[in-house]
Amino acid sequence: MVTEDSTMNDPRPRLAAGIRPAPDEPAQPYVRAEGVTRKFGEVAAVDDVTLEIYRGEVFCLLGGSGCGKTTLLRILAGLEPATTGRVLIDGEDVTGTPPFRRPVNMMFQSYALFPHLSVRNNVAFGLRQDGLPSRQINRRVASMLELVKLGPFARRKPHQLSGGQRQRVALARALVKQPKLLLLDEPLGALDRQLREEMQFELINIQQTLGITFVVVTHDQEEAMTLSSRIGVMHAGRIVQTGTPTQIYEYPRSRFVAQFVGSVNLFEGRVEERAPDHVLIASEKAGCTLAVEHVAQVAVGAPVAVAVRPEKLVMAHEPPGHEYNHIPAIVDEVAYRGGLSIYKLRIATGHTLHLTQPNRDRATVQRPAAHDAVFVSWHPASGVVLDS
Amino acid sequence: MSGRVPSGRALVIVGPYLWLLLFFLAPLAIVLKIAFSEALIAQPPYAPLFARSSDGALTIQLNFHNFLFLVRDDLYFRAYLNSARIALIATLLCVVLGYPVAYGIAHASPAARNVLLMLVILPFWTSFLLRVYAWIGILKNNGLINNLLMAVGIIDQPLVMMQTDFAVYLGIVYSYLPFMILPLYARLQRLDHTLWEAAADLGCRPHKAFLTVILPLSLPGVVAGSMLVFIPAVGEFVIPALLGGPDTLMIGRVLWDEFFANRDWPVASAVAIAVLILLVAPITVLQFTHGREAER
């Protein structure tokens, strides 16, 4: 695992070691969007987005519906013109290039398979446009169908396939041209949960086998975390934060990101004291003074919010030894989820905290139950200071 | 009798079947009967098919003369071929004209789409006969077009448009174009627009995407529209009678003349039966093969 500190300081995106290939030349982005804006009438669906994507990575555009992530993807594909801004792929300006000349392929959310063509002909479609010799086409189609495990279905028509198989055809069709960039619009959105989780890993395997750069659009944060080397979180047409899944989750830079990706407890307050390695924040909402380590620039007196993830909170029947970050609370509700339990806790100021705790031991161990009085605390390195 | 209680479903089906039996199959049987009888100058103008001979036995007199006559006199075959040719060309013209219209309507905004569809259907509010008559006023030597062109000074002699094949084509295409547009529109409107994008994304230029993706997928609509235009156009009588010249030979007119001018009901019936067989046979084959394709 990469330590938190190095991910914070290293400007180069780091990939979880051993799982994914490192980007080739970190200094040289492979795909660049510069100040891309797309307006529909007065509304900017994509608003001044600048984005750098590295060779061989899986970059996820994560956001809610209507945040502009699909529009941005379509601009990269050339299916949607950018109102202003430039798109460069492998050093080449493709802003005005029509989709049929871009070295980019897309896997559509609806798959958009050609219903009148067999699986084989769907996959061969792109290669035929390039006028390759038929022997070469047959070979590449066959090996691609092998890769997505659709060999026995080559002669079927799309309507004779299951949803998961159609998804593979769409993937094979987009991959077979070996594009410089593969765009995937909610690639697993139409699959049921179990199949989706299976396909997430398969998708990563295929991506690594072929080494093609992926840009994935998704609204599912777990999917984004599983698939991607880096995530760009989008909101209202803008990219609000870019980083590795760890950076996004552990160091959200705004309240939006903190709340959109995972759940979070937020304490508004004012900076009381700045020390070299930590700051102290007085929070009325928390009802105590909060200590946070590793804080960049904040002025004393500035209004801020401290974000703490539910799994970072620790719950005990006895008060903890340390001075800061501990709040007495009453257990309001407990939701047992098997692997972990979710607790809703009420603190003295009337606010509710969310806490999750893994159920490491069998139920023989006494776990807090509803109406129990407990002490909630967390390590100063667990909180994040955000602009209020 | 199986003794089963007729279900509601059976009752629903019985109605249309009864209708078809009474008003389609029975008249057809009568026409078939007349086709096999002998012409008489009498009332009705044909001999009975079934007769009792003097010893009381039932005799059936089948007369194949009428059909032999159709084969011997090449007028009928020429008229049939000419009808098929005119209908085919008119159908092709309808495809060429109707496809862009249907495509345009299918891709218009929902509000504009309703207006455009309304405009396509609007002519049906006026009688078909009146609309064909109206073309006479437009096409004749001192009609709208000629008067206009002469007034502007483009021509000094009126263009002869009435009583030509041109007028017949114009009439057929004008009258049957909506029957091409509507099924084509229904088909095109259902096509997923992302198929265009997928084709473009895979390196297909727009014209090729149309030829390799959109056109094959809209073919069922083209076939349905072509049937609706071709079949009635072959047997068309009003348009060639009103707009065509004396040399516009169409089977519908021949049939009319046989029936009303010559009062030869048996030959007229034989013509009708022959046209039916020559039209129905190929189309049934086409529908059968295509229906299996479209079943998907």
Side-chain angles (χ1 to χ4, degrees):
Chain A
M1 277 301 288
V2 180
T3 64
E4 287 159 357
D5 267 333
S6 73
T7 48
M8 282 297 280
N9 301 331
D10 192 349
R12 168 184 153 176
R14 288 289 291 266
L15 306 166
I19 304 177
R20 301 191 184 99
D24 280 51
E25 290 168 37
Q28 203 65 48
Y30 194 56
V31 178
R32 231 182 108 75
E34 290 178 4
V36 168
T37 298
R38 171 66 175 143
K39 283 191 176 170
F40 294 105
E42 280 303 295
V43 186
V46 173
D47 192 0
D48 193 22
V49 165
T50 294
L51 186 64
E52 290 181 341
I53 296 163
Y54 297 89
R55 189 177 206 140
E57 80 171 328
V58 178
F59 189 93
C60 266
L61 289 168
L62 175 65
S65 59
C67 72
K69 56 191 193 298
T70 296
T71 308
L72 181 56
L73 197 75
R74 289 169 58 82
I75 291 171
L76 292 177
L79 297 171
E80 199 81 60
T83 312
T84 56
R86 295 204 303 159
V87 176
L88 293 104
I89 296 171
D90 198 9
E92 193 189 336
D93 189 337
V94 295
T95 314
T97 310
F100 51 85
R101 280 209 213 94
R102 287 196 190 197
V104 171
N105 284 128
M106 177 145 164
M107 186 184 147
F108 291 84
Q109 185 174 10
S110 64
Y111 306 150
L113 299 178
F114 302 125
H116 59 306
L117 299 180
S118 65
V119 167
R120 175 181 293 148
N121 286 332
N122 260 286
V123 177
F125 189 90
L127 297 174
R128 296 228 166 94
Q129 307 312 316
D130 295 348
L132 294 180
S134 65
R135 186 177 293 175
Q136 198 184 336
I137 292 178
N138 290 342
R139 192 163 38 78
R140 279 170 70 174
V141 169
S143 71
M144 185 52 68
L145 288 178
E146 190 82 5
L147 185 69
V148 298
K149 298 173 192 156
L150 278 176
F153 302 97
R155 283 169 197 283
R156 296 235 186 137
K157 292 273 183 75
H159 70 276
Q160 295 168 313
L161 300 176
S162 72
Q165 290 166 338
R166 267 180 241 166
Q167 191 259 1
R168 285 153 193 266
V169 179
L171 183 65
R173 188 179 69 173
L175 278 172
V176 77
K177 291 191 79 175
Q178 297 172 350
K180 290 185 173 174
L181 182 64
L182 186 76
L183 308 169
L184 302 99
D185 189 0
E186 302 275 4
L188 309 173
L191 306 181
D192 58 53
R193 191 184 168 84
Q194 206 175 351
L195 197 56
R196 193 159 62 215
E197 281 171 10
E198 233 170 81
M199 277 308 295
Q200 285 174 358
F201 290 103
E202 211 173 309
L203 206 57
I204 295 172
N205 280 337
I206 289 171
Q207 193 267 340
Q208 275 170 50
T209 310
L210 301 175
I212 292 172
T213 311
F214 277 28
V215 176
V216 183
V217 153
T218 180
H219 67 278
D220 182 338
Q221 43 154 316
E222 279 179 32
E223 191 172 297
M225 298 248 180
T226 313
L227 290 178
S228 54
S229 50
R230 285 192 307 145
I231 297 173
V233 182
M234 284 193 76
H235 179 55
R238 291 170 175 273
I239 291 194
V240 288
Q241 188 173 353
T242 314
T244 62
T246 319
Q247 286 171 338
I248 297 284
Y249 188 77
E250 302 291 353
Y251 300 96
R253 248 188 264 133
S254 62
R255 291 175 70 128
F256 175 79
V257 174
Q259 284 174 313
F260 186 76
V261 182
S263 51
V264 75
N265 296 298
L266 283 171
F267 304 103
E268 287 83 7
R270 270 175 200 286
V271 180
E272 207 167 54
E273 187 187 323
R274 259 198 74 89
D277 63 338
H278 70 276
V279 291
L280 293 181
I281 291 151
S283 170
E284 258 179 43
K285 186 175 169 185
C288 73
T289 304
L290 310 175
V292 183
E293 288 181 3
H294 308 297
V295 179
Q297 297 299 318
V298 282
V300 173
V304 292
V306 175
V308 190
R309 297 284 183 195
E311 74 281 3
K312 305 268 192 298
L313 298 180
V314 180
M315 188 169 42
H317 286 292
E318 307 300 324
H322 50 79
E323 193 180 344
Y324 308 116
N325 302 350
H326 73 92
I327 310 169
I330 306 286
V331 177
D332 243 2
E333 281 175 61
V334 185
Y336 177 70
R337 287 266 190 98
L340 51 82
S341 290
I342 302 169
Y343 295 83
K344 273 190 177 177
L345 309 167
R346 197 157 29 80
I347 58 177
T349 56
H351 294 280
T352 302
L353 298 188
H354 291 260
L355 180 151
T356 56
Q357 189 172 282
N359 295 322
R360 224 173 267 121
D361 303 296
R362 282 260 173 100
T364 47
V365 179
Q366 191 61 43
R367 281 195 289 265
H371 312 305
D372 280 8
V374 292
F375 291 93
V376 176
S377 65
W378 65 91
H379 192 270
S382 298
V384 180
V385 174
L386 305 170
D387 288 338
S388 187
Chain B
M1 287 292 274
S2 63
R4 272 196 302 157
V5 182
S7 62
R9 200 152 134 201
L11 281 173
V12 169
I13 295 170
V14 157
Y17 268 99
L18 219 60
W19 177 275
L20 284 176
L21 195 74
L22 269 177
F23 297 107
F24 176 73
L25 222 51
L28 193 68
I30 293 171
V31 172
L32 193 66
K33 188 189 94 156
I34 297 173
F36 281 109
S37 54
E38 214 167 325
L40 285 180
I41 301 175
Q43 190 74 274
Y46 57 90
L49 209 55
F50 307 99
R52 281 193 185 275
S53 57
S54 53
D55 57 352
L58 186 71
T59 58
I60 302 172
Q61 267 200 313
L62 277 186
N63 184 353
F64 289 91
H65 269 131
N66 305 318
F67 288 97
L68 284 174
F69 183 63
L70 294 189
V71 181
R72 270 195 216 115
D73 191 340
D74 74 334
L75 167 84
Y76 301 100
F77 193 61
R78 277 193 296 125
Y80 174 76
L81 272 190
N82 204 39
S83 299
R85 190 175 57 87
I86 289 176
L88 191 71
I89 293 172
T91 305
L92 289 178
L93 288 172
C94 280
V95 173
V96 171
L97 289 171
Y99 202 105
V101 177
Y103 191 88
I105 297 174
H107 288 83
S109 70
R113 194 184 296 164
N114 285 338
V115 174
L116 291 170
L117 275 179
M118 192 65 210
L119 288 176
V120 171
I121 302 166
L122 205 62
F124 293 130
W125 291 74
T126 313
S127 149
F128 167 67
L129 204 60
L130 284 182
R131 282 183 284 129
V132 178
Y133 259 117
W135 276 107
I136 298 177
I138 297 171
L139 295 176
K140 66 185 177 185
N141 283 358
N142 58 350
L144 192 69
I145 293 176
N146 278 320
N147 283 351
L148 204 72
L149 290 179
M150 297 227 287
V152 176
I154 297 174
I155 51 171
D156 351 293
Q157 288 277 314
L159 297 170
V160 178
M161 289 180 286
M162 271 304 294
Q163 303 194 328
T164 60
D165 279 2
F166 165 76
V168 174
Y169 283 123
L170 188 72
I172 294 177
V173 170
Y174 163 77
S175 303
Y176 291 107
L177 196 55
F179 296 105
M180 177 63 75
I181 291 173
L182 293 176
L184 250 178
Y185 158 78
R187 181 74 195 176
L188 285 168
Q189 199 244 330
R190 282 210 322 239
L191 285 187
D192 185 359
H193 184 69
T194 48
L195 292 176
W196 269 111
E197 296 187 335
D201 184 70
L202 292 165
C204 213
R205 293 166 154 282
H207 70 271
K208 215 175 157 208
F210 176 78
L211 290 176
T212 54
V213 177
I214 304 301
L215 192 61
L217 286 173
S218 60
L219 223 49
V222 175
V223 170
S226 298
M227 299 272 190
L228 288 178
V229 173
F230 181 79
I231 295 171
V234 169
E236 184 54 58
F237 163 72
V238 171
I239 295 168
L242 292 180
L243 303 179
D247 53 340
T248 309
L249 198 59
M250 285 190 77
I251 199 75
R253 272 179 96 180
V254 170
L255 200 147
W256 171 278
D257 288 343
E258 263 341 315
F259 207 90
F260 292 100
N262 295 354
R263 264 183 82 80
D264 193 342
W265 288 21
V267 168
S269 301
V271 169
I273 295 292
V275 169
L276 201 61
I277 289 167
L278 284 170
L279 263 185
V280 166
I283 284 165
T284 311
V285 170
L286 197 70
Q287 280 234 306
F288 183 70
T289 54
H290 206 86
R292 287 209 319 210
E293 179 90 346
E295 245 170 50
R296 296 196 273 110

